[in-house]
């Protein structure tokens, strides 16, 4: 029962991670109702598929299909771009799974077969943190490519915080002899702190950018007014 509850909570975080990953490749902002609908479908289908069947191949297929459907619901547009972002999502999944395999010593394990290595509370909490770290790195580089000004502190927070949380979770679960329920609570709290901190920092950055844009618009309006006044004086 503890594992199932942990997985459902971790799945909520993973849904948000896959949504953030798709945002990296679209400039337009999705409507809130579309975000809610797409994320709800992704969360419900992937969670039910895992809890009922727990077959690695089926889990993988459900995540890929739901990621594609979520992207289409969020942004619509060309199917080819949705397919490309879905393929990039598969790549992100592969990298995160490989890093988890390295952390738990399961490098030689066949990921297609059902395996006790992955059916643990430790991996359930560790995987979304590693995925979040990858998404934050990708997101920061995409921002640089789009010529978006990002403070150095943003890089430090978005990369170092998930990394430190990953290290702390590994130490907590490998070196601690605490009860499982306590470890679950600690792991979930670490996840929550990680996500909330970066979410609040994101909002702060957005507000700063919006304020700068408003200031630029005000300056442009003043310049246009002065030009209009100058033209009137000339006339």
């Amino acid at each position: 029962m503890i594992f199932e509850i942990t997985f459902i909570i971790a799945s909520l975080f993973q849904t948000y991670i896959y949504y953030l990953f798709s945002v990296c490749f679209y400039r337009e902002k999705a409507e809130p109702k579309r975000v809610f609908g797409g994320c709800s479908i992704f969360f419900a289908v992937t969670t039910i598929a895992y809890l009922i069947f727990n077959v690695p191949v089926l889990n993988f297929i459900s995540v890929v299909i739901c990621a594609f459907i979520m992207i289409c619901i969020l942004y619509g547009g060309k199917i080819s771009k949705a397919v490309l972002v879905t393929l990039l999502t598969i790549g992100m999944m592969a990298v995160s799974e490989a890093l988890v395999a390295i952390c738990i010593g399961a490098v030689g394990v066949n990921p297609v077969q059902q395996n006790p290595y992955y059916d643990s509370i430790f991996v359930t909490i560790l995987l979304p943190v590693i995925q979040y770290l990858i998404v934050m790195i990708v997101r920061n580089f995409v921002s640089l490519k789009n010529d978006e000004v990002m403070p150095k502190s943003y890089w430090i927070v978005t990369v170092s915080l998930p990394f430190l949380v990953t290290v702390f979770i590994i130490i907590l679960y490998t070196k601690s002899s605490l009860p499982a329920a306590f470890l679950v609570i600690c792991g979930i709290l670490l996840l929550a702190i990680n996500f909330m901190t970066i979410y609040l920092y994101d909002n702060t950055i957005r507000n700063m950018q919006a304020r700068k844009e408003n200031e630029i618009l005000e300056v442009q309006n003043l310049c246009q007014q002065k030009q209009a006044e100058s033209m009137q004086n000339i006339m």
Side-chain angles (χ1 to χ4, degrees), residues 73-183:
I73 292 173
L74 290 176
Y75 302 104
K78 294 182 179 180
I79 299 296
S80 57
K81 185 171 183 179
V83 171
L84 176 61
V85 176
T86 304
L87 292 174
L88 293 172
T89 303
I90 295 172
M92 185 269 290
M93 291 170 57
V95 173
S96 60
E97 293 279 354
L99 291 174
V100 169
I102 293 171
C103 292
I104 65 176
V107 177
V109 175
N110 188 349
V112 178
Q113 297 177 350
Q114 192 166 5
N115 199 290
Y117 277 100
Y118 294 97
D119 295 331
S120 67
I121 293 173
F122 170 58
V123 172
T124 302
I125 294 176
L126 180 63
L127 182 59
V129 177
I130 291 179
Q131 289 175 338
Y132 197 47
L133 175 60
I134 294 170
V135 170
M136 286 296 101
I137 293 173
V138 171
R139 189 181 178 189
N140 289 348
F141 277 109
V142 169
S143 297
L144 288 177
K145 183 181 177 182
N146 294 333
D147 295 327
E148 295 179 6
V149 179
M150 305 299 293
K152 292 181 180 179
S153 59
Y154 186 84
W155 274 86
I156 295 171
V157 171
T158 55
V159 175
S160 64
L161 185 59
F163 177 76
L164 292 174
V165 169
T166 301
V167 173
F168 191 78
I169 288 175
I170 293 172
I171 295 172
L172 183 66
Y173 277 81
T174 56
K175 303 297 182 181
S176 177
S177 58
L178 297 171
F182 185 81
L183 291 175

